[in-house]
Amino acid sequence: MSDLTELELQNLRHLIVGYELTQDKMQDYAQRAQDQQVKQFFQKAAQSSQQTKQQLMRFL
């Protein structure tokens, strides 16, 4: 793996934190949702955010 520049590392960390926050929000929305379809929508969005975050973390 090639070395990351300081700027690339900062950008990567920023993206990871953003996806982590999105995952937390989507999980919270899913827990609060009354409608089952809405709940599933937010659960899938949370899962997608988690997967993307994990993929980005592989670059660290």
Side-chain angles (χ1 to χ4, degrees), residues 5-59:
T5 67
E6 186 67 28
L7 180 59
E8 290 169 331
L9 186 58
Q10 288 175 356
N11 287 336
L12 189 55
R13 288 179 178 162
H14 179 73
L15 287 169
I16 290 169
V17 168
Y19 278 105
E20 188 171 24
L21 290 173
T22 300
Q23 177 188 355
D24 291 343
K25 287 182 181 183
M26 296 299 111
Q27 287 174 338
D28 184 52
Y29 296 156
Q31 290 175 354
R32 295 171 187 249
Q34 301 295 318
D35 184 276
Q36 192 61 31
Q37 288 181 321
V38 173
K39 182 181 287 285
Q40 288 176 350
F41 173 82
F42 286 124
Q43 287 171 335
K44 287 180 183 179
Q47 185 179 31
S48 176
S49 292
Q50 180 184 22
Q51 290 170 346
T52 302
K53 181 184 81 171
Q54 288 172 343
Q55 289 173 344
L56 289 172
M57 288 180 70
R58 291 183 190 142
F59 291 103

